[in-house]
Amino acid sequence: MYRVRNKKRGVSMHEIFKVFFINLVCDIDNMLILGIILRKHSHLKITLPAAIVLTLTRTTYIILIDGLSNIPLFQLLTGIILLFIAYKVVTRSTWEDDFFRPSRSPFLKVKVLLLLAATDFLLCLDGVIVISRISQHVVPVATGIFCSLLISLLFFTLIIRLAKTFFWINFIAGGFIAQNAIIGISKDPWLADWIHFIDHLFPRVNIVNIIANGVVILIIMIGLFAYIKEHRITIWK
């Protein structure tokens, strides 16, 4: 009995570490988006509540992901929204400081947490799918996600500062988001016949990868153009 318990504990710790590591890596670019929301409402001090809420929502997504992924148009719509987010990431002026007036609304914390959860739903799908293939056990999944989220949220200011100092970090993050969006769109059941038909026409060419890489280049070029244009205006001012 003792050996069995130790074995189960070892498997559980292994799952927790895997979930922790994958979630931490996937959140590097996600924190650029979530960090904007948190930075805007930094006076609320909701790091711990945000980690708890996002842990609960992500764990729920992992349990339901197989069913959600099979809904026609679901991945297509989320992919389109992700493309819009990628565009906003690369065109946002991260080198300019934003100033916000703290609100005293008693329901603001709830509103911000709901906004974080809704935004995170779109951003975390790639990580959720990977984690769901590793473990479907609630305790290891929730523990790994919570620990990685807590670290990411505690150090999100560092990520934002790096993005402000090194503008190309936004381009990389936007490129990753755009690539995941195209790959996700290609997996939508509604497009399955079209993808199969294209693969049949061009059996030696991976059309999805070509389109994804093309969109990544386009997003980076848009971001670079926006940066040069804005930077030139800033210099002349």
Side-chain angles (χ1 to χ4, degrees):
M1 180 68 70
Y2 179 74
R3 288 182 180 178
V4 171
R5 286 181 179 176
N6 278 344
K7 186 176 180 181
K8 286 183 178 179
R9 188 177 300 174
V11 172
S12 180
M13 288 301 297
H14 186 62
E15 287 182 5
I16 290 172
F17 177 77
K18 276 188 173 181
V19 172
F20 169 83
F21 180 75
I22 290 170
N23 202 66
L24 192 65
V25 171
C26 290
D27 273 344
I28 291 174
D29 55 334
N30 296 349
M31 278 302 126
L32 285 173
I33 312 297
L34 299 178
I36 294 170
I37 301 172
L38 289 167
R39 184 162 160 256
K40 180 179 178 180
H41 303 286
S42 58
H43 61 284
L44 295 176
K45 298 179 180 179
I46 56 172
T47 300
L48 184 60
I52 294 172
V53 169
L54 296 183
T55 297
L56 292 174
T57 54
R58 288 190 184 189
T59 303
T60 304
Y61 301 155
I62 288 169
I63 295 171
L64 302 175
I65 191 63
D66 287 333
L68 290 174
S69 299
N70 292 325
I71 298 175
L73 299 178
F74 174 76
Q75 296 197 66
L76 175 64
L77 293 174
T78 54
I80 292 171
I81 296 171
L82 281 177
L83 286 174
F84 176 73
I85 291 174
Y87 169 80
K88 297 297 288 184
V89 169
V90 298
T91 56
R92 188 176 183 274
S93 301
T94 55
W95 53 88
E96 294 181 355
D97 290 323
D98 298 324
F99 296 94
F100 303 96
R101 291 182 180 179
S103 173
R104 296 181 181 179
S105 170
F107 301 105
L108 185 58
K109 282 189 178 181
V110 176
K111 290 179 181 178
V112 174
L113 289 173
L114 289 175
L115 178 60
L116 283 170
T119 307
D120 185 65
F121 172 72
L122 299 171
L123 298 173
C124 73
L125 284 178
D126 54 337
V128 163
I129 292 171
V130 175
I131 292 171
S132 68
R133 300 294 181 263
I134 294 172
S135 176
Q136 284 284 334
H137 301 109
V138 175
V139 174
V141 166
T143 305
I145 289 176
F146 176 77
C147 293
S148 66
L149 275 173
L150 195 58
I151 292 174
S152 297
L153 292 172
L154 285 172
F155 291 99
F156 85 89
T157 51
L158 175 62
I159 298 173
I160 295 296
R161 285 177 185 174
L162 288 173
K164 289 175 66 178
T165 305
F166 306 102
F167 68 91
W168 46 265
I169 291 178
N170 282 341
F171 299 166
I172 295 173
F176 274 122
I177 294 171
Q179 187 180 49
N180 288 331
I182 297 300
I183 292 173
I185 289 172
S186 69
K187 294 178 180 177
D188 193 288
W190 191 69
L191 298 174
D193 291 338
W194 287 97
I195 299 296
H196 180 73
F197 176 72
I198 294 172
D199 286 339
H200 182 72
L201 286 178
F202 306 97
R204 297 183 179 180
V205 180
N206 193 324
I207 297 297
V208 173
N209 281 348
I210 291 175
I211 295 174
N213 292 334
V215 171
V216 168
I217 293 171
L218 178 62
I219 286 290
I220 291 174
M221 292 300 293
I222 290 171
L224 188 60
F225 176 77
Y227 175 81
I228 293 171
K229 183 180 177 182
E230 184 70 25
H231 197 58
R232 187 178 295 170
I233 292 171
T234 305
I235 290 173
W236 281 108
K237 284 182 181 179

